[in-house]
Amino acid sequence: PLGQYNRHLVATRLSELPGVSPALAIQAGNAVQQHVLQRTARRRLRLFLRKRDEIWDSSTTNNNSGMTFKNGNAIMNEKDASNMLATNTPNDLNQVIQLLLEKGLTGTDICTIFSHTPSVALMRPTAVTTRDRQQDETREEENNTLDSTVTRAFSDLLSKSLELRKY
């Protein structure tokens, strides 16, 4: 899943959009890949520190913390590392690009957004319908989806507050 954020794959996908220059697509691809690498490194470090703190706090001789030791250094098991990545699997980049195109943005607009705010490429495109176990009713989770963010930016901020019109 993280391979879809490779700079060359992102640049290739963006350069397929009409009106996108290769230089702009490469710039956006670089920004997205750099953001993903930094985000993954931060998450791995936080998980490692959390596991290390659990070991220090436990003060027991058996090691049930999910870490192994080599030369006195704690090392995260491969299973825990893969679980961390699986629970934080990013969304499909193609769905993000498709949603932005549906909202009326051009390929150049998308490249510019990815260059300046690469975290947009990782956002959940639309709300996920979940089932509430306690009340047994279906509801939409709209918090922090790309669709709701773009709608708020276009309709609330640009159209209403600034009174700008679509061209």
Side-chain angles (χ1 to χ4, degrees), residues 38-49:
Q38 290 173 350
R39 180 179 176 201
T40 303
R42 284 191 306 267
R43 286 183 176 199
R44 285 182 177 168
L45 181 61
R46 280 194 302 267
L47 180 65
F48 173 81
L49 293 174

Side-chain angles (χ1 to χ4, degrees), residues 1-156:
L2 292 176
Q4 70 179 330
Y5 298 105
N6 175 290
R7 70 181 74 211
H8 299 294
L9 295 176
V10 173
T12 302
R13 175 65 179 101
L14 292 173
S15 63
E16 293 171 354
L17 300 175
V20 175
S21 69
L24 190 57
I26 290 170
Q27 181 183 4
N30 288 339
V32 169
Q33 178 178 315
Q34 187 66 25
H35 177 74
V36 169
L37 291 175
Q38 290 173 350
R39 180 179 176 201
T40 303
R42 284 191 306 267
R43 286 183 176 199
R44 285 182 177 168
L45 181 61
R46 280 194 302 267
L47 180 65
F48 173 81
L49 293 174
R50 189 177 314 121
K51 293 281 188 179
R52 184 202 63 189
D53 291 345
E54 289 173 7
I55 291 171
W56 288 353
D57 288 342
S58 68
S59 71
T60 59
T61 57
N62 61 356
N63 185 8
N64 295 328
S65 64
M67 299 188 83
T68 58
F69 291 90
K70 182 177 182 181
N71 299 331
N73 295 322
I75 301 172
M76 187 183 337
N77 291 336
E78 289 182 26
K79 180 182 175 187
D80 289 336
S82 64
N83 285 343
M84 181 208 56
L85 293 176
T87 58
N88 297 316
T89 302
N91 298 291
D92 185 24
L93 179 66
N94 291 327
Q95 291 176 353
V96 170
I97 293 172
Q98 187 61 38
L99 178 71
L100 292 173
L101 289 172
E102 289 171 4
K103 291 292 185 176
L105 296 171
T106 65
T108 305
D109 296 336
I110 295 170
C111 287
T112 304
I113 289 171
F114 285 177
S115 295
H116 293 284
T117 314
S119 60
V120 170
L122 300 172
M123 288 183 78
R124 183 180 331 125
T126 56
V128 177
T129 303
T130 59
R131 193 144 194 93
D132 189 358
R133 292 180 186 165
Q134 295 172 350
Q135 298 178 4
D136 197 38
E137 61 186 43
T138 304
R139 63 185 168 136
E140 297 251 339
E141 292 179 352
E142 294 226 2
N143 298 337
N144 300 324
T145 64
L146 182 60
D147 188 25
S148 63
T149 302
V150 172
T151 301
R152 277 194 316 269
F154 279 165
S155 66
D156 296 344

